[in-house]
Amino acid sequence: MIELVNVSKSYAGGVDVLVNITLNIGKEEFVFIVGPSGAGKTTLMRLLYREELPTSGKVVVDRVNVVELDSNQVPYLRRNIGVVFQDYKLLPKRTIFENVAFALRVTGAPRSAIRRKVMQALELVGMLRKANSFPDELSGGEKQRACIARAIVNNPPILLADEPTGNLDPATSWDIIQLLEKINKRNTTVVVATHNKEIVDALKKRVVVLENGRMVRDQQLGTYGV
Amino acid sequence: MLGNLEFFMVEAFRSFRRSALLTTVAVGTITVTLVVFGMFLLIILNLGNIVGTVSSMMDISVYVEKDLSLEEAGALQVELTKIPGVEKVEFVSRTEAWKKFKEDYGTQLDLDALINENPLPHTFAVKVHSPELLPEVAKRISQIQTIAEVRYSGTLVNQIKTLMDAVRIGGASLVVLIALATLFIVVNTIRLTVLARETDIYIMKLVGATNTFVKWPFIIEGIMIGVLGGVFSFLVLKFSYDAVISRVSTAMPFLPVVTDVRLLSVIYSATLLGGTALGMLGAYISVSKVLKAEI
């Protein structure tokens, strides 16, 4: 589903963010990308939905060569990838329903289908009764649920979550991770970048460890530390 | 596509209402620049009109030999009319001219006591189609045998010609400059409304909106801002011009001001259309810039 071959990314001034990463993530896998802040987790995620391009190497997502993708095809790539952020990135002046519907509206989906799909997504994340609330009226955990609903409303085969629990307390973090696991079981490939040791250790999923832009470990049923 | 259009309209109206302050600033800016632009056009138009009227009043005075009979003068009039560039030839008989002269100056002098015979020749007032033709036509007339003297105001003709050229060339380049300045201001004002929604654009692009899809609501918003600016500037221009014209024509009735409704409506519709086009173009340019900088 996701394939990185010898991917490196460096910025002007010679900062190497990612060095020679080769990584294969299969269909319907659940993978943690772990490592300290600045290890390159976020950059790795951004390469997948082409917010950034690698300096060298090959990135293939859902059989699409992302690096060589024509820029007017990028929107169609992104419709197959749901993205969840640490800071939620909800639009403050819209209700939760509108925020989630926004992701379908921009694809030109018909109105009736939008309503049905948004309701389904909100139900899945347990936010149906908050549909008409504004983001400011919600707790951190609820905002993250709304953000996840927006990411999956289009039924993308891939869900990327960049520090989804970064702003949440342990109990809420646990809820969110369980929600991501639930989505994974509905045939979605899930990649979670995190430095939350407790969660990684408890879930026993595949763990990819980054340090200073280098991949130092790739372990099935892994833990955060060695 | 109809569903999309509805989405674009709803989004445009939503942004229009929610960023009320920026919208007001943008509409105000467009109004002010279009009013300046329109006033400038009206000034140019009136200046051209004045110059045109003054030059159309200019004619060539043609004095014939004193012993020319009325019949001969009549034949001469026909001949003058045939000269290319001549618009109209008016005949003033020597009797009429003398009578007029005495009326004008007779109160100061007892002319009949000084001169016992009419000293004036028959004259023609020759009007030409445009002031540039004056020297050429005057030259042709002076070549006719029975003509004693030809007079026209050469320096004034040249001055008017220079003035008209200056109005034309200077006016055209100023119109272009002001139009560019207006576009620049509008683009930057609308850019503020676009920048205020950068997060929206980021999210739209992230969830897979195409660039065209992102652009449309902004372009519609730009058109709405432009139309409003156009309507306001039209109202300001129309009422202030009407007020100025009614005062000018009372105070200086001799001044030829432009009151032709058709001509004025061309200028007014230019500000309306100009506002719309500016709003649209401004939104297009600014949203394209933001999109290029985005992911």
Side-chain angles (χ1 to χ4, degrees):
Chain A
M1 205 67 186
I2 296 170
E3 191 188 355
L4 283 86
V5 183
N6 297 326
V7 170
S8 295
K9 172 79 185 176
S10 49
Y11 290 112
V15 187
D16 295 328
V17 191
L18 291 173
V19 183
N20 215 13
I21 305 279
T22 297
L23 176 66
N24 248 296
I25 297 175
K27 207 164 184 282
E28 291 160 38
E29 257 196 278
F30 191 115
V31 181
F32 281 119
I33 311 277
V34 304
S37 300
K41 301 191 296 287
T42 300
T43 306
L44 182 73
M45 301 289 242
R46 284 183 168 176
L47 292 177
L48 300 181
Y49 57 91
R50 218 179 95 153
E51 182 164 350
E52 287 186 49
L53 284 168
T55 315
S56 65
K58 196 168 124 184
V59 179
V60 179
V61 176
D62 199 13
R63 291 188 293 278
V64 175
N65 186 333
V66 174
V67 183
E68 285 169 12
L69 190 64
D70 199 79
S71 62
N72 61 28
Q73 291 301 310
V74 171
Y76 304 98
L77 166 77
R78 291 190 182 145
R79 289 175 196 184
N80 285 328
I81 306 174
V83 187
V84 175
F85 300 94
Q86 178 175 2
D87 59 356
Y88 326 121
K89 295 205 194 299
L90 296 169
L91 298 171
K93 288 171 177 177
R94 290 165 204 263
T95 65
I96 297 308
F97 181 92
E98 288 170 331
N99 263 286
V100 177
F102 202 61
L104 285 175
R105 285 268 166 80
V106 299
T107 64
R111 182 183 270 273
S112 55
I114 289 176
R115 185 160 184 86
R116 185 168 43 79
K117 286 185 174 176
V118 172
M119 288 310 190
Q120 278 171 3
L122 287 175
E123 194 181 2
L124 182 71
V125 302
M127 288 287 290
L128 211 45
R129 71 208 154 77
K130 298 278 186 178
N132 293 319
S133 305
F134 286 91
D136 285 350
E137 301 162 5
L138 303 182
S139 69
E142 287 170 329
K143 280 186 213 169
Q144 194 54 285
R145 283 169 188 275
C147 179
I148 292 170
R150 182 181 65 196
I152 60 157
V153 70
N154 208 15
N155 278 323
I158 298 169
L159 180 67
L160 307 177
D162 189 5
E163 298 283 2
T165 61
N167 288 343
L168 305 174
D169 61 62
T172 316
S173 299
W174 193 241
D175 289 346
I176 294 297
I177 287 299
Q178 280 180 324
L179 179 57
L180 293 176
E181 218 184 343
K182 185 165 134 193
I183 291 162
N184 174 236
K185 290 199 171 109
R186 294 170 74 250
N187 312 323
T188 307
T189 309
V190 176
V191 181
V192 181
T194 185
H195 55 239
N196 189 323
K197 186 176 181 305
E198 290 73 27
I199 282 171
V200 174
D201 287 347
L203 251 71
K204 295 264 185 304
K205 297 285 185 187
R206 179 180 173 190
V207 176
V208 171
V209 185
L210 293 182
E211 264 177 39
N212 293 321
R214 288 172 172 80
M215 204 171 101
V216 296
R217 181 153 54 95
D218 181 0
Q219 186 183 17
Q220 298 293 336
L221 309 175
T223 52
Y224 195 93
V226 182
Chain B
M1 192 55 216
L2 211 64
N4 282 352
L5 187 67
E6 187 204 346
F7 176 74
F8 297 150
M9 296 298 285
V10 169
E11 286 300 304
F13 271 103
R14 178 198 285 268
S15 157
F16 193 78
R17 261 188 301 118
R18 287 202 171 152
S19 46
L21 182 69
L22 270 179
T23 306
T24 315
V25 170
V27 171
T29 311
I30 293 184
T31 306
V32 170
T33 42
L34 281 178
V35 165
V36 170
F37 186 65
M39 276 184 178
F40 184 74
L41 283 183
L42 286 170
I43 289 170
I44 296 268
L45 191 68
N46 274 290
L47 216 54
N49 196 43
I50 291 170
V51 168
T53 313
V54 169
S55 47
S56 76
M57 292 189 302
M58 301 203 22
D59 52 16
I60 306 172
S61 303
V62 178
Y63 305 92
V64 302
E65 299 286 353
K66 232 173 99 184
D67 50 5
L68 211 67
S69 72
L70 266 176
E71 289 76 34
E72 282 168 319
L76 189 55
Q77 181 169 14
V78 175
E79 195 180 337
L80 287 174
T81 317
K82 281 178 186 157
I83 294 173
V86 170
E87 193 189 352
K88 207 167 81 179
V89 180
E90 257 174 60
F91 175 68
V92 183
S93 73
R94 48 192 303 246
T95 331
E96 271 175 75
W98 183 235
K99 204 176 135 199
K100 178 110 196 316
F101 188 82
K102 280 197 287 190
E103 269 172 23
D104 287 349
Y105 301 101
T107 48
Q108 292 150 37
L109 293 163
D110 189 2
L111 287 165
D112 283 321
L114 289 166
I115 309 155
N116 45 19
E117 194 191 328
N118 178 0
L120 299 175
H122 296 308
T123 55
F124 293 103
V126 178
K127 274 199 191 323
V128 291
H129 287 296
S130 82
E132 298 97 88
L133 298 169
L134 284 171
E136 178 63 28
V137 173
K139 203 176 146 207
R140 299 250 336 229
I141 295 173
S142 61
Q143 283 160 355
I144 298 170
Q145 290 247 311
T146 47
I147 304 285
E149 202 183 346
V150 174
R151 272 196 202 155
Y152 73 96
S153 178
T155 18
L156 191 58
V157 168
N158 282 331
Q159 280 168 351
I160 284 182
K161 215 173 150 254
T162 320
L163 182 62
M164 270 177 95
D165 287 347
V167 167
R168 257 187 231 133
I169 297 163
S173 37
L174 272 172
V175 163
V176 171
L177 274 181
I178 291 184
L180 282 179
T182 310
L183 179 66
F184 182 76
I185 292 168
V186 170
V187 165
N188 280 291
T189 316
I190 292 188
R191 190 129 162 246
L192 293 178
T193 71
V194 175
L195 287 177
R197 289 183 56 204
E198 231 173 344
T199 320
D200 291 40
I201 295 178
Y202 179 83
I203 299 292
M204 282 171 100
K205 296 224 55 182
L206 192 75
V207 297
T210 57
N211 279 351
T212 326
F213 198 93
V214 176
K215 274 177 195 171
W216 269 109
F218 288 102
I219 291 172
I220 292 174
E221 191 186 348
I223 292 174
M224 291 196 292
I225 289 174
V227 168
L228 270 185
V231 168
F232 284 138
S233 57
F234 158 71
L235 291 175
V236 171
L237 279 176
K238 164 120 182 71
F239 285 110
S240 48
Y241 186 71
D242 287 355
V244 167
I245 289 311
S246 78
R247 268 180 217 182
V248 166
S249 46
T250 320
M252 294 178 277
F254 54 86
L255 208 64
V257 287
V258 177
T259 48
D260 180 5
V261 180
R262 263 182 307 166
L263 206 54
L264 290 176
S265 58
V266 168
I267 288 189
Y268 294 147
S269 19
T271 59
L272 275 172
L273 286 177
T276 314
L278 277 176
M280 192 167 82
L281 198 60
Y284 183 83
I285 292 174
S286 15
V287 77
S288 299
K289 266 190 187 167
V290 172
L291 278 176
K292 237 180 225 167
E294 284 286 343
I295 50 172

